[in-house]
Amino acid sequence: MAISRRAFLAASAGTIGGLALGACGVDEPRQTSAAGTTSRPTLPPLKLSADPFTLGVASGDPLASNVVLWTRLAPAPTTGGLAGMPDAPVDVTWQVATDEAFTSVVTSGTARTESGAAHSVHVDAGGLAPSTDYYYRFTAGGFTSPVGRTRTFAGGDSVPDHLRVGVVTCQDFGTGYYAAYRHLLDEDLHLVVHLGDYIYEHDLPIVRSLTPPGTPTDLDGFRSRYAAYKADADLRAAHARYPFLVMWDDHEVTNNYAGNTGTFGQTADDMREMRAAAYRAWWEHMPVRVAPPTDADVDIYRSVKIGGLARISLLDERQYADVPPCRDSAVSDTGDCPARAGNDREYLGPKQQSWFAQTVAPKDVVWDLVGNPTVVAGVNAGTLAAPAYYLETWDGYPQARRRFIESLRTAGGQPVVLTGDYHAGMVADIHETPGDTSTAVVTTELMTPAVTSVPFPLPRETNPHIHYATERHGYLTLDVEPTQITATFRLLDDIAKPDTAITTGATWRIAKGAASATPVA
Ligand code: FE
Ligand code: CA
């Protein structure tokens, strides 16, 4: 496959112009306390003529006592603008119960939302018991939402004997059906980790079409793009079934951007306006415990702890990145030049790198799982004589990668890196110096296949540190236990078929104390 990532995507990209951040107030959706009391008068009852819960419900960022519950009111999701909602504040009631029939409600309340937040709702429901399944639902305008199911994490230092995690990435709507999400429903997971490219800004209608089509650049456009993705019933069902931990990658804004640099000739001002719009719309549609973005700068890197068994850290590898190297000599987005290894440049940025080093330092977990969008172990996509690297991944930032790998090496839990972005599945050794297999193996990188996005080759002959590679679609499941992690690559037959089957492509195991993974017979 000779096509480059950037050239392929550029072919489908629209023009970048007329950037504008739509009006959005600084008012945020207000939440009641866990006790359900509100500090101001309730609004007159709103009667809607159509079901506003078309985008479904979701939960995310679980703790031992809390979980974020999400919905967005959108009676007419494909019409743009406020998606059929009046330009007015709305009170939304919510309930959390231990049973699906809601006979045992454990907490409830009223959340106020408004048009400045696209009538999205983020409730941080608290007072919950650890390691417990809960059901939740919303009511507004005379309608009741679908019922969602979620789960809290283990608390304190308790070490659960088993945590089952699904890992997904890269779900280009136009290039395939979300059969991966339908099959995830049968996996009996505690949690789904999403490593980004949840939406694509480009419109690539190979298998199916987006409504509305096009390439969004403003807040209204990005809101409509999320609504178009959430039109998919399998995606909505997976959100309703499992709590998610969501990190973004590049396509939540624009292909392969780094900081304020795009790849389609955008000015820095264009990029900042687009970032502000895209980040705001991302927050409006994700079940995340993140402060509502109001401009182009928003810190969403964060971590959660599952008792003493595992910590999961999520890293933002686009917003703070310096301009990639070799722009004058690289062929499309791969290449090499002396400046790549010669010049220091930031990837996580100093603030996030220092946060990461401090976050993973405590020896209070067995495993430090690191949700890391782009490949760390390195991919030489050229030849041994003339290497070529994807310059907007960690390969373009070897000095920053050295700092990152040092943080992995000194992490309190045994580190395992979970990666997305590449559109291929992989098990690889992360060497102290990636590309030099004579240096020590620090840990293992597990890269999850794309849900639907067009795959890219992962050449084995130029990458001896890669032990397993697949260019098929699907997802990864992790069985995390105190003594080992078992990683299963679940691969789809054909994403052009909505009812396509899934099979296990490979199973690998990381034993406690072993840096490298081994195949399970
Ligand atoms: Fe992708
Ligand atoms: Ca990506």
Side-chain angles (χ1 to χ4, degrees):
M1 202 164 159
I3 195 162
S4 86
R5 279 151 60 95
R6 184 191 293 167
F8 180 78
L9 299 168
S12 64
T15 55
I16 305 297
L19 295 170
L21 181 59
C24 85
V26 292
D27 279 355
E28 308 310 341
R30 292 174 179 82
Q31 298 163 14
T32 58
S33 70
T37 53
T38 181
S39 59
R40 53 185 181 165
T42 51
L43 296 167
L46 171 78
K47 203 75 193 146
L48 291 170
S49 53
D51 182 0
F53 296 107
T54 60
L55 306 182
V57 299
S59 71
D61 286 3
L63 303 171
S65 60
N66 287 58
V67 65
V68 174
L69 309 178
W70 172 93
T71 192
R72 177 190 166 196
L73 308 179
T78 61
T79 57
L82 295 177
M85 286 296 291
D87 184 4
V90 178
D91 282 340
V92 181
T93 62
W94 54 273
Q95 290 178 303
V96 178
T98 49
D99 66 310
E100 203 165 0
F102 289 84
T103 51
S104 303
V105 172
V106 294
T107 180
S108 62
T110 302
R112 184 162 299 174
T113 184
E114 39 93 37
S115 53
H119 296 100
S120 63
V121 178
H122 296 75
V123 172
D124 194 353
L128 306 177
S131 300
T132 303
D133 288 335
Y134 289 99
Y135 297 87
Y136 62 95
R137 66 184 177 191
F138 301 90
T139 56
F143 290 86
T144 299
S145 75
V147 172
R149 180 173 170 180
T150 191
R151 186 177 172 84
T152 49
F153 286 151
D157 299 327
S158 70
V159 180
D161 56 14
H162 189 199
L163 173 74
R164 193 161 152 76
V165 184
V167 187
V168 293
T169 195
C170 293
Q171 54 190 49
D172 197 334
F173 187 93
T175 57
Y177 290 101
Y178 290 162
Y181 281 115
R182 186 165 44 77
H183 289 292
L184 269 181
L185 299 178
D186 300 326
E187 295 281 5
D188 198 20
L189 307 170
H190 294 122
L191 174 74
V192 174
V193 173
H194 198 301
L195 293 170
D197 290 355
Y198 187 102
I199 60 161
Y200 281 70
E201 84 289 8
H202 67 231
D203 182 1
L204 203 54
I206 293 173
V207 173
R208 54 180 178 165
S209 300
L210 285 162
T211 307
T215 298
T217 55
D218 62 11
L219 180 58
D220 206 45
F222 279 106
R223 284 172 172 170
S224 293
R225 179 53 47 91
Y226 282 99
Y229 271 57
K230 283 178 178 285
D232 186 286
D234 292 322
L235 177 60
R236 291 199 308 276
H239 275 296
R241 176 66 182 82
Y242 303 119
F244 275 50
L245 281 182
V246 183
M247 174 45 66
W248 60 38
D249 193 34
D250 55 330
H251 287 286
E252 281 84 347
V253 182
T254 181
N255 179 50
N256 284 355
Y257 82 100
N260 292 323
T261 305
T263 57
F264 300 112
Q266 302 100 321
T267 67
D269 284 349
D270 287 345
M271 280 299 304
R272 290 193 62 77
E273 281 192 57
M274 191 154 65
R275 273 174 44 169
Y279 291 175
R280 177 77 186 185
W282 174 86
W283 173 81
E284 287 171 349
H285 292 85
M286 293 296 134
V288 290
R289 189 177 290 103
V290 168
T294 55
D295 60 24
D297 301 300
V298 50
D299 295 338
I300 71 161
Y301 54 83
R302 59 202 192 279
S303 79
V304 293
K305 207 165 147 285
I306 300 97
L309 179 63
R311 177 165 32 235
I312 305 177
S313 304
L314 299 172
L315 300 175
D316 176 351
E317 300 180 346
R318 302 293 179 174
Q319 183 178 184
Y320 314 102
D322 285 339
V323 180
C326 318
R327 279 289 168 91
D328 49 351
S329 56
V331 180
S332 77
D333 47 1
T334 59
D336 198 9
C337 65
R340 184 183 73 89
N343 297 352
D344 197 352
R345 62 187 76 74
E346 293 290 346
Y347 198 51
L348 298 181
K351 196 172 132 203
Q352 184 179 198
Q353 167 55 45
S354 135
W355 168 85
F356 179 67
Q358 286 169 26
T359 295
V360 298
K363 297 185 189 308
D364 54 357
V365 288
V366 178
W367 302 101
D368 255 301
L369 306 179
V370 183
N372 155 77
T374 78
V375 62
V376 175
V379 176
N380 176 0
T383 63
L384 290 172
Y389 301 98
Y390 288 107
L391 297 164
E392 35 73 45
T393 72
W394 280 105
D395 271 330
Y397 303 77
Q399 296 87 346
R401 180 166 57 185
R402 191 162 302 134
R403 295 188 280 277
F404 177 55
I405 289 175
E406 181 59 15
S407 301
L408 295 175
R409 205 181 60 76
T410 57
Q414 180 171 332
V416 174
V417 174
L418 311 176
T419 298
D421 174 58
Y422 197 96
H423 307 180
M426 177 185 89
V427 177
D429 285 339
I430 297 177
H431 285 269
E432 206 167 271
T433 301
D436 182 353
T437 52
S438 72
T439 61
V441 177
V442 174
T443 187
T444 290
E445 180 164 24
L446 301 171
M447 190 153 79
T448 189
V451 169
T452 51
S453 304
V454 176
F456 289 94
L458 203 46
R460 300 290 299 279
E461 60 282 6
T462 47
N463 296 285
H465 55 287
I466 298 179
H467 300 310
Y468 168 75
T470 175
E471 290 158 19
R472 288 170 63 186
H473 294 95
Y475 54 82
L476 185 61
T477 64
L478 303 178
D479 288 285
V480 183
E481 300 168 80
T483 56
Q484 63 182 26
I485 291 179
T486 308
T488 305
F489 289 82
R490 299 281 286 160
L491 305 179
L492 296 159
D493 287 350
D494 181 1
I495 55 160
K497 297 186 177 126
D499 60 349
T500 194
I502 199 159
T503 50
T504 293
T507 303
W508 286 70
R509 185 157 291 156
I510 303 167
K512 180 68 185 151
S516 293
T518 51
V520 175

